Amino acid sequence: MAANSQEECNLKGERAQVNRAKFDPRPLTSFPGCGVSAPCRNFFGEETMAKRETPLILVVEDYPDTRSLLSSLLRSNGYMVVEAGDGREGVQQANRTNPDLILMDLALPELDGVEATRQIRQRQVHSKTPIFAVSAFATSDVQQDALDAGCNEVFTKPLEIEPFLGKIRATLNA
């Protein structure tokens, strides 16, 4: 943060020192409620996230058409969206943007969705971030692997849109 300047003022006949912050050059997206929120510490010293006015959802999907379709669906329902095209990029985007919810494809290049979820869960700030696995190949073994890695839900493609959006709404409004 920029240095403060000191000014004197007269308040009810008393002299007082007033701090006035100079212009802060950081972009608005670095402040909570204005896009990307930053980690902060609560009373107990635990790393937490400040609440955004508009929830941010990270879509990790390797097929551009599917990623675009999911992103458009979410944006049209009032959510902010960031995207990643593979598991490694998904982990980086999660750490960079601190999303309120993550949609994770399981069959991804570079790093599969199960391992990407494990890596995301390693940071305390993401310990409670909802992660929904989305996969066309969600056999019972794959679903269990995703849940064991830290996914909260597993959805199979093709998605049933209304129940899917309903679960996102319910999770983000909890």
Side-chain angles (χ1 to χ4, degrees), residues 5 8 13 19 21 23 35 50 55 78 81 88 102 135 143-144 174:
S5 62
E8 289 186 14
N19 287 329
F23 173 73
V81 178
R88 202 170 310 287
I102 300 169
S135 180
Q143 288 181 13
Q144 191 57 53

Side-chain angles (χ1 to χ4, degrees), residues 2 20 30 35 49 55-56 63 66 91-92 96 120 154-155 169:
R20 293 199 186 245
S30 63
M49 294 305 302
L56 177 67
Y63 288 104
T66 304
V91 172
Q92 292 169 348
R96 184 179 308 123
I120 289 168
V154 179
F155 291 92
R169 276 188 219 105

